[in-house]
Amino acid sequence: MKNLIITLLLFTSANSCTNKYREKTSEPINFEFAIIKPTVDERQFIAQDFSETWIPDTTDLIIIEQLIMDAVQKNKADLLTRASLPNYFRQYVGFLNTTGERMVWVNALCEIKEGMVEKNGEFFLEPWQWREELIIVEDGGHCFWNILINLDKYEYFQFFINGVAFTSENKQYKMMFGKC
């Protein structure tokens, strides 16, 4: 009987967390985003247990954004607030981990910068092709952040806000938060 009560409590608690994210699926997506299919090297950068890619649908994206809002609110990230979230461009990388769970790595950029591109031996500055290519930035502070989400468990991990390089001492300050 004791095991049955514990099982019911665990089921109720897990089910209420699930319903929390499923209830609010009518919110609009009001920012620019792209679904990215990463290269083999990028897959290893994102997660060691990256098995294969999958594409999240609109309902998935809304749930992902609710988890991101929870992460920002829970972790009290300086300069990154729930109100500032619509100002970030998002790159979503959907993948299955080695146990078959649906994971999404979200890479966020507050601005689209220019990068050096070589064409026919000449170099040009061109805007980042953020809708086609994964943009990995070192430093940059709160302008760049990423988070790993387990969509099947409604959990987030590795909420990482880029640091700022201090050139006088060549140190980096980075913020990293754990799972929800």
PDB file of all heavy atoms in Angstrom, residues 108-128:
ATOM      1  N   ALA A 108      20.783  31.034 -28.813  1.00  0.00           N
ATOM      2  CA  ALA A 108      20.137  32.340 -28.955  1.00  0.00           C
ATOM      3  C   ALA A 108      21.169  33.443 -29.185  1.00  0.00           C
ATOM      4  O   ALA A 108      22.240  33.448 -28.589  1.00  0.00           O
ATOM      5  CB  ALA A 108      19.321  32.650 -27.710  1.00  0.00           C
ATOM      6  N   LEU A 109      20.797  34.371 -30.073  1.00  0.00           N
ATOM      7  CA  LEU A 109      21.659  35.481 -30.454  1.00  0.00           C
ATOM      8  C   LEU A 109      20.851  36.780 -30.383  1.00  0.00           C
ATOM      9  O   LEU A 109      19.751  36.842 -30.926  1.00  0.00           O
ATOM     10  CB  LEU A 109      22.148  35.299 -31.896  1.00  0.00           C
ATOM     11  CG  LEU A 109      22.544  33.900 -32.318  1.00  0.00           C
ATOM     12  CD1 LEU A 109      22.122  33.604 -33.730  1.00  0.00           C
ATOM     13  CD2 LEU A 109      24.022  33.726 -32.173  1.00  0.00           C
ATOM     14  N   CYS A 110      21.400  37.816 -29.766  1.00  0.00           N
ATOM     15  CA  CYS A 110      20.637  39.061 -29.676  1.00  0.00           C
ATOM     16  C   CYS A 110      20.794  39.910 -30.927  1.00  0.00           C
ATOM     17  O   CYS A 110      20.014  40.836 -31.146  1.00  0.00           O
ATOM     18  CB  CYS A 110      21.027  39.866 -28.434  1.00  0.00           C
ATOM     19  SG  CYS A 110      22.641  40.637 -28.527  1.00  0.00           S
ATOM     20  N   GLU A 111      21.786  39.610 -31.719  1.00  0.00           N
ATOM     21  CA  GLU A 111      21.976  40.346 -32.966  1.00  0.00           C
ATOM     22  C   GLU A 111      22.666  39.451 -33.992  1.00  0.00           C
ATOM     23  O   GLU A 111      23.337  38.495 -33.646  1.00  0.00           O
ATOM     24  CB  GLU A 111      22.785  41.629 -32.736  1.00  0.00           C
ATOM     25  CG  GLU A 111      24.185  41.394 -32.205  1.00  0.00           C
ATOM     26  CD  GLU A 111      24.918  42.676 -31.894  1.00  0.00           C
ATOM     27  OE1 GLU A 111      24.587  43.719 -32.471  1.00  0.00           O
ATOM     28  OE2 GLU A 111      25.840  42.635 -31.070  1.00  0.00           O
ATOM     29  N   ILE A 112      22.461  39.791 -35.236  1.00  0.00           N
ATOM     30  CA  ILE A 112      23.109  39.058 -36.321  1.00  0.00           C
ATOM     31  C   ILE A 112      24.283  39.902 -36.791  1.00  0.00           C
ATOM     32  O   ILE A 112      24.098  40.977 -37.349  1.00  0.00           O
ATOM     33  CB  ILE A 112      22.119  38.787 -37.488  1.00  0.00           C
ATOM     34  CG1 ILE A 112      20.886  38.049 -36.975  1.00  0.00           C
ATOM     35  CG2 ILE A 112      22.814  38.027 -38.607  1.00  0.00           C
ATOM     36  CD1 ILE A 112      21.168  36.746 -36.255  1.00  0.00           C
ATOM     37  N   LYS A 113      25.460  39.416 -36.522  1.00  0.00           N
ATOM     38  CA  LYS A 113      26.674  40.164 -36.844  1.00  0.00           C
ATOM     39  C   LYS A 113      27.192  39.773 -38.215  1.00  0.00           C
ATOM     40  O   LYS A 113      26.615  38.939 -38.891  1.00  0.00           O
ATOM     41  CB  LYS A 113      27.727  39.912 -35.775  1.00  0.00           C
ATOM     42  CG  LYS A 113      27.298  40.382 -34.395  1.00  0.00           C
ATOM     43  CD  LYS A 113      28.403  40.196 -33.391  1.00  0.00           C
ATOM     44  CE  LYS A 113      27.940  40.720 -32.056  1.00  0.00           C
ATOM     45  NZ  LYS A 113      28.780  41.748 -31.539  1.00  0.00           N
ATOM     46  N   GLU A 114      28.299  40.390 -38.584  1.00  0.00           N
ATOM     47  CA  GLU A 114      28.954  40.044 -39.841  1.00  0.00           C
ATOM     48  C   GLU A 114      30.181  39.199 -39.553  1.00  0.00           C
ATOM     49  O   GLU A 114      30.826  39.358 -38.519  1.00  0.00           O
ATOM     50  CB  GLU A 114      29.373  41.315 -40.583  1.00  0.00           C
ATOM     51  CG  GLU A 114      28.211  42.116 -41.094  1.00  0.00           C
ATOM     52  CD  GLU A 114      28.640  43.322 -41.902  1.00  0.00           C
ATOM     53  OE1 GLU A 114      29.732  43.883 -41.642  1.00  0.00           O
ATOM     54  OE2 GLU A 114      27.888  43.705 -42.807  1.00  0.00           O
ATOM     55  N   GLY A 115      30.473  38.322 -40.485  1.00  0.00           N
ATOM     56  CA  GLY A 115      31.654  37.482 -40.370  1.00  0.00           C
ATOM     57  C   GLY A 115      32.474  37.553 -41.647  1.00  0.00           C
ATOM     58  O   GLY A 115      31.967  37.904 -42.716  1.00  0.00           O
ATOM     59  N   MET A 116      33.735  37.211 -41.528  1.00  0.00           N
ATOM     60  CA  MET A 116      34.649  37.234 -42.672  1.00  0.00           C
ATOM     61  C   MET A 116      34.386  36.007 -43.543  1.00  0.00           C
ATOM     62  O   MET A 116      34.342  34.884 -43.060  1.00  0.00           O
ATOM     63  CB  MET A 116      36.093  37.221 -42.173  1.00  0.00           C
ATOM     64  CG  MET A 116      37.102  37.516 -43.239  1.00  0.00           C
ATOM     65  SD  MET A 116      37.052  39.213 -43.849  1.00  0.00           S
ATOM     66  CE  MET A 116      37.656  40.118 -42.467  1.00  0.00           C
ATOM     67  N   VAL A 117      34.182  36.237 -44.834  1.00  0.00           N
ATOM     68  CA  VAL A 117      33.915  35.171 -45.796  1.00  0.00           C
ATOM     69  C   VAL A 117      34.906  35.305 -46.949  1.00  0.00           C
ATOM     70  O   VAL A 117      35.163  36.407 -47.442  1.00  0.00           O
ATOM     71  CB  VAL A 117      32.465  35.277 -46.341  1.00  0.00           C
ATOM     72  CG1 VAL A 117      32.209  34.227 -47.402  1.00  0.00           C
ATOM     73  CG2 VAL A 117      31.470  35.145 -45.214  1.00  0.00           C
ATOM     74  N   GLU A 118      35.457  34.172 -47.369  1.00  0.00           N
ATOM     75  CA  GLU A 118      36.404  34.175 -48.484  1.00  0.00           C
ATOM     76  C   GLU A 118      35.711  33.683 -49.745  1.00  0.00           C
ATOM     77  O   GLU A 118      35.051  32.650 -49.755  1.00  0.00           O
ATOM     78  CB  GLU A 118      37.594  33.266 -48.141  1.00  0.00           C
ATOM     79  CG  GLU A 118      38.717  33.308 -49.143  1.00  0.00           C
ATOM     80  CD  GLU A 118      38.620  32.235 -50.218  1.00  0.00           C
ATOM     81  OE1 GLU A 118      38.057  31.162 -49.953  1.00  0.00           O
ATOM     82  OE2 GLU A 118      39.083  32.488 -51.335  1.00  0.00           O
ATOM     83  N   LYS A 119      35.822  34.479 -50.825  1.00  0.00           N
ATOM     84  CA  LYS A 119      35.293  34.087 -52.134  1.00  0.00           C
ATOM     85  C   LYS A 119      36.328  34.411 -53.191  1.00  0.00           C
ATOM     86  O   LYS A 119      36.737  35.554 -53.345  1.00  0.00           O
ATOM     87  CB  LYS A 119      33.999  34.849 -52.447  1.00  0.00           C
ATOM     88  CG  LYS A 119      32.820  34.443 -51.600  1.00  0.00           C
ATOM     89  CD  LYS A 119      31.569  35.193 -52.011  1.00  0.00           C
ATOM     90  CE  LYS A 119      30.408  34.832 -51.110  1.00  0.00           C
ATOM     91  NZ  LYS A 119      29.215  35.615 -51.408  1.00  0.00           N
ATOM     92  N   ASN A 120      36.739  33.372 -53.910  1.00  0.00           N
ATOM     93  CA  ASN A 120      37.704  33.529 -54.999  1.00  0.00           C
ATOM     94  C   ASN A 120      38.967  34.257 -54.552  1.00  0.00           C
ATOM     95  O   ASN A 120      39.478  35.135 -55.238  1.00  0.00           O
ATOM     96  CB  ASN A 120      37.071  34.268 -56.182  1.00  0.00           C
ATOM     97  CG  ASN A 120      35.898  33.510 -56.741  1.00  0.00           C
ATOM     98  OD1 ASN A 120      35.881  32.281 -56.762  1.00  0.00           O
ATOM     99  ND2 ASN A 120      34.888  34.246 -57.175  1.00  0.00           N
ATOM    100  N   GLY A 121      39.472  33.924 -53.379  1.00  0.00           N
ATOM    101  CA  GLY A 121      40.703  34.522 -52.881  1.00  0.00           C
ATOM    102  C   GLY A 121      40.534  35.906 -52.259  1.00  0.00           C
ATOM    103  O   GLY A 121      41.510  36.494 -51.813  1.00  0.00           O
ATOM    104  N   GLU A 122      39.335  36.449 -52.262  1.00  0.00           N
ATOM    105  CA  GLU A 122      39.099  37.760 -51.648  1.00  0.00           C
ATOM    106  C   GLU A 122      38.224  37.583 -50.418  1.00  0.00           C
ATOM    107  O   GLU A 122      37.399  36.680 -50.353  1.00  0.00           O
ATOM    108  CB  GLU A 122      38.430  38.704 -52.648  1.00  0.00           C
ATOM    109  CG  GLU A 122      39.316  39.043 -53.838  1.00  0.00           C
ATOM    110  CD  GLU A 122      38.686  40.122 -54.697  1.00  0.00           C
ATOM    111  OE1 GLU A 122      38.108  41.070 -54.124  1.00  0.00           O
ATOM    112  OE2 GLU A 122      38.778  40.009 -55.924  1.00  0.00           O
ATOM    113  N   PHE A 123      38.408  38.478 -49.456  1.00  0.00           N
ATOM    114  CA  PHE A 123      37.657  38.402 -48.209  1.00  0.00           C
ATOM    115  C   PHE A 123      36.628  39.515 -48.121  1.00  0.00           C
ATOM    116  O   PHE A 123      36.904  40.662 -48.493  1.00  0.00           O
ATOM    117  CB  PHE A 123      38.619  38.467 -47.016  1.00  0.00           C
ATOM    118  CG  PHE A 123      39.475  37.236 -46.900  1.00  0.00           C
ATOM    119  CD1 PHE A 123      40.709  37.175 -47.527  1.00  0.00           C
ATOM    120  CD2 PHE A 123      39.038  36.139 -46.190  1.00  0.00           C
ATOM    121  CE1 PHE A 123      41.499  36.044 -47.433  1.00  0.00           C
ATOM    122  CE2 PHE A 123      39.818  34.998 -46.088  1.00  0.00           C
ATOM    123  CZ  PHE A 123      41.039  34.949 -46.704  1.00  0.00           C
ATOM    124  N   PHE A 124      35.443  39.156 -47.638  1.00  0.00           N
ATOM    125  CA  PHE A 124      34.333  40.095 -47.501  1.00  0.00           C
ATOM    126  C   PHE A 124      33.681  39.906 -46.135  1.00  0.00           C
ATOM    127  O   PHE A 124      33.714  38.815 -45.567  1.00  0.00           O
ATOM    128  CB  PHE A 124      33.258  39.822 -48.573  1.00  0.00           C
ATOM    129  CG  PHE A 124      33.751  39.924 -49.975  1.00  0.00           C
ATOM    130  CD1 PHE A 124      34.212  38.791 -50.643  1.00  0.00           C
ATOM    131  CD2 PHE A 124      33.744  41.139 -50.641  1.00  0.00           C
ATOM    132  CE1 PHE A 124      34.658  38.871 -51.947  1.00  0.00           C
ATOM    133  CE2 PHE A 124      34.190  41.224 -51.951  1.00  0.00           C
ATOM    134  CZ  PHE A 124      34.650  40.088 -52.608  1.00  0.00           C
ATOM    135  N   LEU A 125      33.052  40.969 -45.660  1.00  0.00           N
ATOM    136  CA  LEU A 125      32.206  40.866 -44.480  1.00  0.00           C
ATOM    137  C   LEU A 125      30.781  40.645 -44.950  1.00  0.00           C
ATOM    138  O   LEU A 125      30.266  41.387 -45.776  1.00  0.00           O
ATOM    139  CB  LEU A 125      32.266  42.146 -43.641  1.00  0.00           C
ATOM    140  CG  LEU A 125      33.500  42.322 -42.782  1.00  0.00           C
ATOM    141  CD1 LEU A 125      33.459  43.667 -42.078  1.00  0.00           C
ATOM    142  CD2 LEU A 125      33.606  41.205 -41.751  1.00  0.00           C
ATOM    143  N   GLU A 126      30.156  39.582 -44.431  1.00  0.00           N
ATOM    144  CA  GLU A 126      28.770  39.286 -44.769  1.00  0.00           C
ATOM    145  C   GLU A 126      28.021  38.945 -43.495  1.00  0.00           C
ATOM    146  O   GLU A 126      28.604  38.413 -42.552  1.00  0.00           O
ATOM    147  CB  GLU A 126      28.684  38.094 -45.732  1.00  0.00           C
ATOM    148  CG  GLU A 126      29.172  38.388 -47.123  1.00  0.00           C
ATOM    149  CD  GLU A 126      28.911  37.233 -48.082  1.00  0.00           C
ATOM    150  OE1 GLU A 126      28.400  36.178 -47.637  1.00  0.00           O
ATOM    151  OE2 GLU A 126      29.228  37.380 -49.261  1.00  0.00           O
ATOM    152  N   PRO A 127      26.732  39.239 -43.456  1.00  0.00           N
ATOM    153  CA  PRO A 127      25.952  38.859 -42.263  1.00  0.00           C
ATOM    154  C   PRO A 127      25.988  37.345 -42.063  1.00  0.00           C
ATOM    155  O   PRO A 127      26.043  36.574 -43.014  1.00  0.00           O
ATOM    156  CB  PRO A 127      24.531  39.319 -42.602  1.00  0.00           C
ATOM    157  CG  PRO A 127      24.684  40.316 -43.694  1.00  0.00           C
ATOM    158  CD  PRO A 127      25.922  39.930 -44.452  1.00  0.00           C
ATOM    159  N   TRP A 128      25.975  36.944 -40.800  1.00  0.00           N
ATOM    160  CA  TRP A 128      25.934  35.529 -40.485  1.00  0.00           C
ATOM    161  C   TRP A 128      24.748  34.874 -41.164  1.00  0.00           C
ATOM    162  O   TRP A 128      23.660  35.429 -41.217  1.00  0.00           O
ATOM    163  CB  TRP A 128      25.778  35.315 -38.994  1.00  0.00           C
ATOM    164  CG  TRP A 128      26.995  35.624 -38.178  1.00  0.00           C
ATOM    165  CD1 TRP A 128      28.285  35.692 -38.591  1.00  0.00           C
ATOM    166  CD2 TRP A 128      27.014  35.892 -36.785  1.00  0.00           C
ATOM    167  NE1 TRP A 128      29.107  35.986 -37.543  1.00  0.00           N
ATOM    168  CE2 TRP A 128      28.352  36.113 -36.424  1.00  0.00           C
ATOM    169  CE3 TRP A 128      26.029  35.967 -35.808  1.00  0.00           C
ATOM    170  CZ2 TRP A 128      28.731  36.396 -35.121  1.00  0.00           C
ATOM    171  CZ3 TRP A 128      26.406  36.248 -34.511  1.00  0.00           C
ATOM    172  CH2 TRP A 128      27.743  36.462 -34.173  1.00  0.00           C
TER     173      TRP A 128
END
